[in-house]
Amino acid sequence: MKRNSSGRMLDHGRRVSMAAVALLLLVAGFWSSWGTAQHVLLSKGREHGTLTVADCGEKTCTGPYDPDGPGGARSGMVIERSVAVAEGAELAVVVKPGTDEVVRTGWPGVLHAWLPLGGALLLAACVIGGGLRMARTAWATAAAGGVLLVGAFFAL
């Protein structure tokens, strides 16, 4: 059966709009992850040390910071509160330049920083599979997002 030109145009329009939505999800996930990930991945030349979590509020935790190199210990450094940050924990961290905020380093820090991208990959997989009808690509995208989320769960 032959399709008319308006049917083909609707099909192409649907595919283009679904591809745009999937791309928007992936770009937003990358962008929200990069704000923290850049400090973890590009940590050369930044101040490294250990944060001992002393007190946790609703969104952040604070505690004394002991740098690896020269310089004295500082108090009142702030880290984002997560399930993995508990009072009394000692965390390897890097200081965000020009702030009193720190982020975790190593594999736990890398995986935690990329969590928003993992969620975006799972959401984009639904759009790729349902809207674009690309099942294999959708499964691969979902698997990548799932591996990232499960890896972060076990690393933290």
Side-chain angles (χ1 to χ4, degrees):
M1 182 173 157
K2 228 176 176 183
R3 292 179 66 182
N4 59 18
S5 63
S6 62
R8 285 191 303 268
M9 288 300 289
L10 283 174
D11 189 45
H12 289 307
R14 176 189 56 82
R15 292 181 69 79
V16 167
S17 64
M18 289 295 108
V21 169
L23 183 64
L24 177 67
L25 285 169
L26 294 175
V27 168
F30 178 84
W31 188 258
S32 61
S33 294
W34 185 246
T36 302
Q38 67 177 325
H39 301 293
V40 179
L41 296 175
L42 305 174
S43 64
K44 186 176 181 179
R46 297 193 180 172
E47 187 178 358
H48 292 261
T50 304
L51 176 77
T52 303
V53 180
D55 185 41
C56 287
E58 195 171 308
K59 294 188 178 194
T60 60
C61 293
T62 60
Y65 168 75
D66 184 25
D68 287 344
R74 292 182 275 182
S75 61
M77 298 299 276
V78 177
I79 191 168
E80 180 183 331
R81 182 175 183 159
S82 70
V83 176
V85 177
E87 291 183 19
E90 290 187 5
L91 307 172
V93 295
V94 65
V95 179
K96 288 184 178 180
T99 68
D100 63 349
E101 293 181 53
V102 296
V103 292
R104 290 185 72 169
T105 58
W107 278 108
V110 169
L111 292 171
H112 185 262
W114 289 109
L115 277 176
L117 180 61
L121 285 166
L122 288 177
L123 288 173
C126 296
V127 174
I128 292 168
L132 294 174
R133 297 185 181 132
M134 298 170 64
R136 288 182 185 150
T137 305
W139 279 110
T141 305
V147 165
L148 183 57
L149 294 176
V150 170
F153 175 79
F154 285 113
L156 296 175

